[in-house]
Amino acid sequence: MSSSRALRWIPIALLLAAALASRPALADPLPAEPPAAAADADRPWAAGVSKAEQEAATKLFDEATDLLKEAFFKRAVDLYREALTHWDHPAIHFNLAKALMNLDDPAAAYTELEASMRFGGAPLTDDQREQVNRYTKLLYETELAELVIETDEPGAKVTLDGVDLFVGPGKWSGVVRPETTKTLSATKTGFQTQQLQPKLIKGQVNTIQIEMVPLELVTRYVHEFDTWIPWAVLGSGVAILAGGGVMTWQTKKSFDDYDSGVAACNAAAPLSLTTDAGVLVDLSGQVGTCAPTSSLTSKKSQGQTFQTISTIAYAVGGATVATGIVLFIVNRERPITTDEPAPDDSPAAAAPVSVVPYFGPDQAGLTATFGF
């Protein structure tokens, strides 16, 4: 137990010590019962409880009381609770409350003290009833807060720190320890989950009204960035691929022009040669018989340049198209819930993208700029 928590328990411990100073034992025995033949009206706590059940409860009660006297509080609590399954007797609740106070569980102790007064204080003694009144008052004012939870929503499941309380419409009330009360939640299909971390005031009634909000009122569908961006990237990729196609056509045209020029040159400049055997051979129209001009060789060089550009364009265009497809997947519409409605056409985050292809004599590529 922390030092601050121990200090808070000093008033209760002093009160308990003062109450016990005039008593021979820490735990009280079961009060004397009227004869078994007495009418249930005289013993409402025994109504409907068989003699065998009463005897079983009494045996467990005595064992628990011995453990309580020896300060085995946890085991005593277990036996008292088992005894209550046989007989819901006020005196068992009273001693159980004492054991729980020694285990630093004021909320449970308070509940058991109130249960011990279910029949107006009977069959407790006057001294026991006076102890109950003092303990409940001190616990309520110094350690506990009264919590009331309400909801009018049918089917809303309400939990407190993971423990189910009720399903609406309904109401729950009880005492809790503010320091250990963490999360109040309410859930229902089709409604926004409500999660609260209430700040509770000790010694007062703290009322919480839970309002359930339909999801359609707080749900909007958004994209990671503007919907035009994937289209722009995909379109840029297609344009680059189309440019690669144009370069391929230009490549073929340049090479065809070169081949045609060489053939024409050969035809226009017939040559012949005499072999070693003295045979005259006509070489007119054959490749290699013409010395290409600079204008003709430039067509071949131009075709090679176009071929390089088209290869790069296909690679860059394909990568850009793939990027556009990925952006389409990433930018799929998704629902989000907010506390306040937002415009449906506003993206979750603006991320401008600029995609610009470039070509040069020796290189070609694609530049992309993303804004965050």
Side-chain angles (χ1 to χ4, degrees), residues 80-156:
Y80 281 134
R81 284 177 170 158
E82 186 179 352
L84 286 170
T85 64
H86 295 280
W87 192 7
D88 191 359
H89 195 291
I92 302 177
H93 287 288
F94 178 75
N95 273 17
L96 175 56
K98 288 186 175 182
L100 289 167
M101 282 192 286
N102 280 281
L103 290 176
D104 190 23
D105 193 348
Y110 184 93
T111 300
E112 296 301 329
L113 288 171
E114 291 217 314
S116 71
M117 299 291 286
R118 185 157 57 98
F119 300 103
L124 301 181
T125 65
D126 291 341
D127 181 61
Q128 288 174 330
R129 288 193 291 271
E130 193 273 334
Q131 288 183 57
V132 170
N133 291 332
R134 280 186 293 163
Y135 293 158
T136 52
K137 183 176 186 297
L138 189 59
L139 287 173
Y140 186 85
E141 293 177 350
T142 63
E143 289 293 322
L144 303 173
E146 187 171 355
L147 177 59
V148 179
I149 304 170
E150 301 175 328
T151 183
D152 297 327
E153 185 61 44

Side-chain angles (χ1 to χ4, degrees), residues 340-365:
E340 296 181 1
D344 292 337
D345 57 353
S346 63
V353 176
S354 174
V355 181
V356 180
Y358 67 88
F359 299 96
D362 301 319
Q363 60 181 346

